[in-house]
Amino acid sequence: MVKGLPGRDGIRQAEVELLISKSQLVRRWLKGKAQSSVYNYARNMIRFVRATGKDPETFLSWAKTAEPVEVLDLIDQAAGEQQSPAIRFNLTNELRSFLRSNGYNNLPKATNDYTLKEWHRGYRKEEVRKLLSFLDSNLHKLYVYLAVETGFRARTLLSIKYKHIQEDFEKGVLPVAVRLGPEYYGRAKSAGFTFLGKRTVDLLRECIKEGLVEAKPETPIVDRTYTNLFKVLRRASRKAGLDPKIQINHGLRKYFENALDQSGLDVDQKRLIEGHLSDTRAKHYTGREWEDLRPLYSKAYPHIDVDAGDPELAFKLQSWEDEKTDMKREISELRSMVEKLLEEKRAK
């Protein structure tokens, strides 16, 4: 959302910030949450206040004197006024979370459940190409390439700064590791340990030359809002005549996950790259060294690469290129050894 402008529900960014600044209860509730969660949780509290007339302090004080079922009824009432099933589900859960965070634990067990009405598939390779063909700006194209080559969720993608890719990018190392900070991991929707492939790197260099991206450590790679990019991609998707059931942003992450499935990576390695770190083995027993992960990503890249034709042929070509690089390195090492031996012989 552009700061100062309201979303579809009329909630302005300034209104969210005011709620957080005024309410100690809300700040306690939101402490330690990801920035995107802070924004979404606060919006649902504003929806609740609008529906019930009770601000956070009034709501908690009243809840401590009311019957638990009455408190639940009020939350359900506020949720029932929302048009979207997803918002109704989230508002109910998040208001319960607000109460728990502030010491109220008397609500009956939750029975609400949310089931998607439809399953949404990811983009296919040819569909990503079509989408790209209807984007005019290289920065918008860069966003799509970043999404399909890293597999990051949209909010994570927009928080990537130049410093996160600077090390490998400036050394000319491929693929380029995206070295995020620890705050991106150890949460429900963790970022993956992933890379930028050649297509993204080449386009990023073009964007820097065009002045669309600044090669400064703290500068975002794609300095645009989620709302702006969503509108641009939705317009391009409609012009391209793509299936409207494909999720505009999340469909790009699904493309990435499907590509990893096709590449035949070990399941734990795949989860690590994707950011599915919920199980113990993925968290503690799979190597996280970038140099260990780099060849795994390279193996999967022919399947990830939007512009590649036959993934198997591309993989073979990449394997030959890797072998050639290894042979060149070995020849260089052998030459150094021969020169050293000759020097030692001459010295005698």
Side-chain angles (χ1 to χ4, degrees):
M1 172 184 290
V2 178
K3 192 169 181 177
L5 295 180
R8 292 180 181 179
D9 49 12
I11 298 175
R12 295 176 179 271
Q13 178 75 19
E15 194 174 354
V16 169
E17 292 172 356
L18 181 62
L19 170 72
I20 295 171
S21 66
K22 286 179 61 176
S23 175
Q24 172 63 30
L25 298 180
V26 170
R27 290 197 296 276
R28 180 184 297 134
W29 173 41
L30 300 179
K31 184 178 179 181
K33 289 183 169 54
Q35 190 57 43
S36 58
S37 297
V38 167
Y39 177 68
N40 291 328
Y41 279 40
R43 280 163 60 88
N44 274 330
M45 176 58 78
I46 291 169
R47 291 184 179 109
F48 175 81
V49 173
R50 288 179 177 180
T52 65
K54 295 185 186 295
D55 62 31
E57 284 69 23
T58 303
F59 174 50
L60 182 63
S61 297
W62 170 79
K64 290 178 178 178
T65 63
E67 291 293 326
V69 289
E70 293 177 332
V71 178
L72 186 59
D73 285 345
L74 187 67
I75 294 173
D76 288 343
Q77 172 196 322
E81 294 186 15
Q82 311 307 316
Q83 294 184 347
S84 163
I87 292 177
R88 290 198 292 270
F89 175 78
N90 289 332
L91 187 147
T92 300
N93 286 340
E94 288 161 17
L95 265 294
R96 294 175 72 101
S97 166
F98 166 78
L99 292 173
R100 287 195 304 273
S101 297
N102 286 287
Y104 183 93
N105 296 292
N106 298 332
L107 285 181
K109 185 177 179 181
T111 58
N112 61 314
D113 192 14
Y114 171 57
T115 304
L116 284 171
K117 291 182 178 179
E118 293 182 278
W119 175 80
H120 298 275
R121 66 174 176 85
Y123 290 90
R124 299 188 182 99
K125 190 166 287 195
E126 64 274 12
E127 290 170 331
V128 179
R129 290 174 184 155
K130 277 188 180 180
L131 182 71
L132 287 164
S133 72
F134 283 90
L135 294 174
D136 298 323
S137 168
N138 272 345
L139 190 64
H140 295 148
K141 292 179 181 180
L142 178 63
Y143 173 81
V144 173
Y145 276 106
L146 279 166
V148 298
E149 292 199 352
T150 65
F152 284 145
R153 297 171 179 88
R155 302 290 181 184
T156 301
L157 204 58
L158 293 178
S159 69
I160 299 176
K161 296 180 179 179
Y162 182 74
K163 67 180 180 182
H164 294 136
I165 56 100
Q166 186 172 3
E167 182 176 335
D168 288 351
F169 182 72
E170 293 186 352
K171 289 179 181 176
V173 175
L174 278 175
V176 170
V178 186
R179 304 172 195 270
L180 301 175
E183 67 274 15
Y184 287 86
Y185 305 102
R187 59 193 191 191
K189 291 187 177 180
S190 178
F193 291 82
T194 189
F195 297 81
L196 308 184
K198 185 179 185 303
R199 308 292 181 185
T200 300
V201 171
D202 289 347
L203 186 54
L204 176 56
R205 293 194 191 281
E206 282 187 42
C207 287
I208 291 172
K209 286 180 183 178
E210 293 175 17
L212 297 172
V213 177
E214 289 188 332
K216 297 179 180 178
E218 296 299 328
T219 301
I221 298 297
V222 180
D223 194 10
R224 293 291 185 272
T225 65
Y226 176 88
T227 305
N228 168 262
L229 288 164
F230 180 86
K231 289 178 179 177
V232 169
L233 264 60
R234 182 175 58 183
R235 183 166 59 246
S237 175
R238 288 173 176 171
K239 286 181 178 178
L242 300 184
D243 185 344
K245 292 180 183 178
I246 301 172
Q247 293 166 292
I248 297 297
N249 276 293
H250 201 62
L252 298 170
R253 174 170 167 79
K254 286 183 176 179
Y255 168 90
F256 177 79
E257 292 181 338
N258 291 338
L260 291 187
D261 286 337
Q262 294 163 15
S263 71
L265 288 184
D266 171 82
V267 65
D268 289 322
Q269 297 165 344
K270 177 177 176 290
R271 286 174 180 171
L272 194 61
I273 293 172
E274 287 175 346
H276 291 156
L277 307 178
S278 58
D279 67 292
T280 303
R281 186 175 180 190
K283 281 185 179 180
H284 302 291
Y285 297 105
T286 306
R288 291 187 178 180
E289 293 298 328
W290 289 111
E291 294 312 313
D292 293 336
L293 291 172
R294 200 185 304 276
L296 300 177
Y297 183 90
S298 295
K299 176 186 175 183
Y301 189 67
H303 297 273
I304 297 168
D305 184 5
V306 168
D307 298 325
D310 181 354
E312 296 304 323
L313 177 59
F315 178 70
K316 286 179 182 177
L317 291 172
Q318 182 61 49
S319 297
W320 293 338
E321 192 65 33
D322 292 343
E323 286 179 17
K324 186 170 76 172
T325 302
D326 290 341
M327 288 176 68
K328 284 182 177 180
R329 185 176 62 251
E330 288 176 10
I331 290 169
S332 178
E333 290 172 356
L334 287 169
R335 280 177 178 166
S336 297
M337 289 173 62
V338 169
E339 288 173 3
K340 186 177 180 181
L341 288 170
L342 289 172
E343 287 178 7
E344 290 176 353
K345 188 176 180 180
R346 284 193 291 267
K348 291 178 181 179

